[in-house]
Amino acid sequence: MTYEQLIERLDPTVYRNLRQAIELGKWPDGRKMTAEQREISLEAVIYYENRHNIPEEERVGYLDRGAKAGTACDPSVQFRQGDRPDVDPDQFVEVKS
């Protein structure tokens, strides 16, 4: 059985359990997920959501940009130098986690 076939046949309950385990960082029985388990589970969940056409707003990692969509606060908007004279680049601070 290929990875694609496995994801195609994945039970919705298993998908929901994987999502919850990723969110909480532990398995349903309380054991902590390793970084590798979390990574593999996240890949499976993302693949499942794409394969089963889960609506974008219900997918893992979805961010509702709401009123900020399309503004300078939206990181998906790219501005070229000189496009936004009202934006002072010194007022923004990059935060790294």
Side-chain angles (χ1 to χ4, degrees):
M1 178 179 291
T2 67
Y3 186 74
E4 289 81 16
Q5 291 171 330
L6 176 67
I7 297 299
E8 187 67 36
R9 296 179 185 173
L10 191 65
D11 184 72
T13 303
V14 174
Y15 158 74
R16 285 191 296 274
N17 285 338
L18 281 174
R19 270 191 70 144
Q20 184 179 35
I22 294 165
E23 291 168 3
L24 300 176
K26 60 183 177 179
W27 295 109
D29 66 1
R31 289 179 294 133
K32 185 177 178 183
M33 294 180 85
T34 66
E36 183 180 18
Q37 290 171 332
R38 200 170 194 171
E39 182 180 335
I40 292 169
S41 297
L42 185 56
E43 285 179 23
V45 165
I46 291 171
Y47 195 85
Y48 178 93
E49 291 173 342
N50 284 328
R51 191 81 173 139
H52 290 87
N53 298 318
I54 304 293
E56 182 178 336
E57 61 274 1
E58 295 176 18
R59 293 183 183 190
V60 69
Y62 173 75
L63 297 175
D64 182 10
R65 300 199 189 283
K68 299 294 183 187
T71 67
C73 295
D74 185 352
S76 66
V77 175
Q78 300 294 319
F79 294 106
R80 291 187 308 269
Q81 196 73 7
D83 279 355
R84 297 288 308 246
D86 60 324
V87 177
D88 178 11
D90 293 330
Q91 72 181 358
F92 298 103
V93 177
E94 183 179 356
V95 178
K96 295 184 180 182
S97 54

